[in-house]
Amino acid sequence: MTNQKRKHNAFTLIELLVVILILAILASLVVPRIVGKTDDAKRAKALSDIHEIGALLQTYRLDNDKFPSNDHGLQALRVQPNDAPNWRGPYTTKEIPPDPWGNEYVYQSPGPNGEDFIIISYGADGAPGGVDNAADITSQ
C-alpha cells in the first residue's frame, strides 16, 4: 500500500496560533484584576501599619502621660526622648517601616482637628491630597 497514514509528531501552525490566542484572551482578563489588587493590597498594608503604630503610640502615652512631640516623632517609640522619664521602651523592636510606596509616615501631635495624634500616608504620589491610589490614608 502506497497510501499510508502519516503520523503527526508536531503541532501545526494553526494549532499554535489558536493556543496563543486563547492564552492572550485569558491574560487580558486576568492581568487587570491582579494589577488592581496590588494597589488595594498596598492601601490595606498602609492602613494596617497606621493602626499598629497608633497602638504603639497609645502604649507610649500610658507610660509617659503624653504622646511624643512632633520633634521626636515616631522615633520616640524606639529611642528614649530626653523629656520622657517614664519611658519603658523600646515600644517596637523593628524599625518604623516606610509606607508601601517607600515614603515615611507623617506624624503630628496634636492632629490638625484637635485629635491626640494623626498618622498619614500620602499614598502613591507622596503628596497631600490626591484621588484613588494617590489619596491620603490617615489614622482618623
Side-chain angles (χ1 to χ4, degrees):
M1 290 203 172
T2 56
N3 272 344
Q4 297 178 354
K5 289 187 175 181
R6 292 186 200 170
K7 287 188 176 180
H8 293 283
N9 293 329
F11 294 108
T12 66
L13 182 59
I14 299 293
E15 291 170 328
L16 288 174
L17 289 175
V18 168
V19 169
I20 291 171
L21 179 65
I22 291 170
L23 290 174
I25 291 170
L26 288 174
S28 70
L29 295 173
V30 172
V31 169
R33 290 186 178 149
I34 292 173
V35 170
K37 297 295 181 192
T38 301
D39 294 331
D40 292 343
K42 285 184 177 184
R43 294 186 64 77
K45 170 76 167 98
L47 196 54
S48 174
D49 286 349
I50 287 171
H51 287 296
E52 184 178 341
I53 294 168
L56 295 171
L57 288 167
Q58 292 293 346
T59 304
Y60 179 99
R61 185 188 61 78
L62 288 172
D63 290 344
N64 297 286
D65 297 326
K66 61 181 178 178
F67 290 101
S69 68
N70 289 329
D71 292 336
H72 293 117
L74 297 176
Q75 286 305 312
L77 298 170
R78 301 202 66 231
V79 179
Q80 181 176 8
N82 54 6
D83 65 345
N86 297 326
W87 192 82
R88 292 193 182 102
Y91 296 94
T92 180
T93 56
K94 302 180 290 185
E95 291 287 329
I96 304 298
D99 71 11
W101 298 276
N103 304 309
E104 288 188 23
Y105 288 103
V106 175
Y107 167 76
Q108 296 174 9
S109 178
N113 297 324
E115 311 93 334
D116 291 331
F117 65 87
I118 190 168
I119 305 167
I120 306 168
S121 167
Y122 288 132
D125 65 352
V131 295
D132 297 328
N133 294 327
D136 299 347
I137 304 164
T138 69
S139 57
Q140 300 303 315

